[in-house]
């Protein structure tokens, strides 16, 4: 692999911030040209896609940079606290059961999509999905199932359970990241045309609008120009809670690993799992206190800034040219994802679920806690916790559902 043009993370961060600023400045422009452009291309999609182009053309490298790690471990939990600080749990509850139904529809789509993709590809190119022993392709695909239903911890569990070779595992990680990020790009694009999609699905998105409007009214009622001590207090709450979350995760995860290692099936031995859970819990707890009023000095805006830095750092991980290195495997991955999408849209059509639930239900599976709040927050920052809560459900179910998928993959490969 060639060395990227820019290797200093300080320079990379500066470049990403310039990209983000340019996008948001042009997106808020009153000029008709920019308004027409952003009518078709959501700004959040560009925040994700432009860094991926810089990575693809070797200007920066997501593989060599630590920005994604820093963003996901430090900024994400802080953002979750600041975004949930003013949440109205009763309003979120009024969103109803369709969010959970769509999450499970996404899980089912992944469980059956893997075996179907093997059967489809084997009908015209059996060598692509063949292999023997640790190099059997179905074993590597089982690790993708772990990632797409739960996350990194579930993926590692499937690697150990089904015994894929390290070379195959490395290739499947590339397929996992690229295909998942391509789908995320489509989801973010859909945010910009969600009203049209809701009409196609004959869905009622009024409950989502009520939550958004309620948050906006609350924000307007307490909005004020923040003082420096107030901004410092908001940041202290966010980063302080992140510190507590890391402290707790560093104790809880290893302890469970020692006393009840079998609970790794639920991702309970994963530090990242506990980091997300503790940070979200602290934020939800603070929403019942006077700390809720810090929304008036921009708590969610600061949280959104951190989320968009995470979006840009995720974009850095995508290299579209990697598709051409293993086109057969990527074809399998794309067919697999297509089945997931068909199941999602089919269920959404039947229960008349709005696009918001389609997008968040899918990303809570495929992306997990790092990107589910990004997609949910693209609709409105106040909705980001919905993505987090569903992603936590994915962590809990990921290993079991992925194990079932692995068995089905093995059966499909034997046909």
């Amino acid at each position: 692999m060639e060395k990227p043009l820019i290797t200093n993370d300080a320079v990379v961060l500066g470049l990403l911030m310039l990209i983000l600023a340019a996008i948001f400045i042009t997106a808020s422009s009153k000029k008709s040209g920019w308004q027409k452009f952003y009518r078709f291309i959501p700004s959040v999609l560009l925040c994700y896609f432009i860094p991926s182009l810089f990575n693809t053309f070797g200007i920066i490298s997501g593989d060599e940079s630590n920005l994604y790690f820093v963003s996901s471990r430090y900024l994400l939990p802080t953002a979750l606290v600041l975004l949930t600080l003013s949440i109205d749990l009763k309003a979120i509850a009024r969103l109803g059961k369709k969010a959970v139904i769509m999450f499970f529809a996404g899980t089912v789509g992944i469980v059956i999509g893997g075996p179907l993709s093997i059967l489809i590809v084997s009908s015209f190119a059996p060598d692509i999905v063949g292999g023997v022993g640790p190099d059997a392709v179905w074993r590597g695909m089982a690790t993708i199932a772990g990632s797409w239903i739960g996350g990194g911890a579930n993926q590692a569990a499937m690697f150990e359970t089904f015994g894929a070779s390290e070379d195959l595992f490395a290739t499947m990680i590339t397929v996992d990241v690229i295909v998942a990020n391509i789908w995320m790009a489509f989801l973010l694009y859909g945010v910009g045309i969600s009203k049209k999609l809701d009409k196609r699905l004959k869905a009622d998105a009024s409950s989502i609008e009520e939550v958004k409007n309620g948050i906006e009214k609350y924000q307007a009622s307490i909005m004020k120009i923040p003082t420096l001590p107030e901004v410092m207090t908001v940041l202290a709450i966010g980063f302080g809670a992140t510190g507590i979350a890391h402290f707790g995760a560093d104790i809880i995860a290893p302890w469970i690993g020692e006393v009840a290692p079998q609970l790794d099936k639920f991702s309970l031995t994963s530090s990242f799992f506990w980091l997300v859970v503790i940070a979200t819990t602290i934020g939800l707890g603070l929403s019942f206190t006077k700390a809720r009023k810090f929304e008036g000095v921009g708590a969610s805006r600061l949280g959104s800034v951190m989320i968009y830095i995470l979006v840009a750092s995720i974009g850095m991980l995508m290299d579209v040219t990697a598709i051409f290195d293993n086109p057969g495997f990527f074809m399998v991955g794309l067919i697999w994802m297509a089945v997931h999408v068909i199941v999602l849209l089919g269920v959404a059509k039947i229960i008349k679920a709005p696009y918001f639930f389609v997008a968040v239900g899918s990303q809570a599976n495929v992306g997990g806690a790092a990107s589910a709040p990004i997609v949910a927050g693209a609709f409105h920052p106040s909705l980001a916790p919905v993505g987090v809560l569903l992603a936590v459900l994915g962590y809990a179910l990921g290993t079991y559902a992925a194990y079932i998928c692995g068995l089905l993959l093995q059966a499909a490969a034997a046909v």
Side-chain angles (χ1 to χ4, degrees), residues 173-390:
I173 288 175
T174 305
V175 175
D176 165 17
V177 172
I178 299 296
V179 174
N181 284 346
I182 288 172
W183 173 231
M184 183 178 171
F186 277 101
L187 289 176
L188 294 175
Y189 176 76
V191 174
I193 56 171
S194 59
K195 290 183 179 178
K196 291 181 180 178
L197 293 173
D198 287 340
K199 285 183 180 179
R200 289 278 183 91
L201 295 168
K202 296 181 179 178
D204 179 13
S206 59
S207 61
I208 299 167
E209 289 299 319
E210 284 175 16
V211 173
K212 288 162 59 176
N213 293 337
I215 287 289
E216 286 170 354
K217 285 181 182 177
Y218 178 72
Q219 288 174 337
S221 69
I222 61 173
M223 198 66 69
K224 55 182 281 193
I225 298 173
T227 63
L228 181 59
E230 286 171 330
V231 174
M232 286 295 186
T233 303
V234 169
L235 291 174
I237 291 171
F239 284 106
T242 295
I244 293 170
H246 272 276
F247 182 78
D250 288 345
I251 293 174
I252 296 171
W255 179 75
I256 292 177
E258 281 186 25
V259 301
Q262 67 275 16
L263 292 180
D264 65 350
K265 294 186 179 70
F266 299 99
S267 295
L268 296 182
T269 58
S270 165
S271 293
F272 185 68
F273 170 83
W274 285 108
L275 178 61
V276 170
V277 169
I278 295 171
T280 304
T281 303
I282 292 173
L284 291 173
L286 290 172
S287 71
F288 292 99
T289 71
K290 290 182 180 180
R292 191 168 190 259
K293 291 192 175 179
F294 280 110
E295 175 58 27
V297 295
S300 67
R301 283 199 302 273
L302 290 169
S304 295
V305 169
M306 297 174 193
I307 284 288
Y308 279 106
I309 294 173
L310 175 62
V311 172
S313 68
I314 290 175
M316 282 176 60
L317 299 175
M318 182 173 169
D319 178 0
V320 294
T321 61
I323 294 172
F324 303 107
D325 294 335
N326 294 284
F329 287 159
F330 279 100
M331 178 175 60
V332 174
L334 290 170
I335 293 172
W336 189 350
M337 187 61 73
V339 174
H340 166 72
V341 175
I342 290 168
V343 172
L344 272 172
L345 294 178
V347 173
K349 188 75 173 176
I350 293 169
I351 68 173
K352 297 181 179 179
Y355 176 71
F356 172 77
F357 293 138
V358 175
V360 177
S362 173
Q363 203 60 28
N365 278 285
V366 178
S371 54
I374 291 170
V375 173
F379 290 86
H380 193 278
S382 65
L383 298 173
V386 179
V388 178
L389 295 174
L390 288 177

Side-chain angles (χ1 to χ4, degrees), residues 84-131:
T84 54
L85 200 64
S86 61
I87 193 159
D88 185 345
L89 278 179
K90 290 182 180 178
I92 293 293
R94 284 199 298 272
L95 291 176
K97 59 187 178 183
K98 288 184 180 179
V100 177
I101 292 173
M102 292 310 302
F103 168 81
F104 281 111
T107 302
V108 170
I110 290 165
V111 170
I112 67 173
L116 281 175
S117 64
I118 285 182
L119 293 173
I120 291 169
V121 174
S122 64
S123 67
F124 61 88
D127 291 346
I128 292 176
V129 289

Side-chain angles (χ1 to χ4, degrees), residues 135-157:
D135 289 317
V137 172
W138 70 266
R139 297 182 192 274
M141 291 176 67
T143 68
I144 295 180
S147 174
W148 284 359
I149 300 172
N154 307 83
Q155 185 175 38

Side-chain angles (χ1 to χ4, degrees), residues 151-169:
N154 307 83
Q155 185 175 38
M158 292 303 98
F159 173 57
E160 295 293 335
T161 301
F162 289 105
S165 68
E166 290 190 7
D167 288 343
L168 179 61
F169 184 44

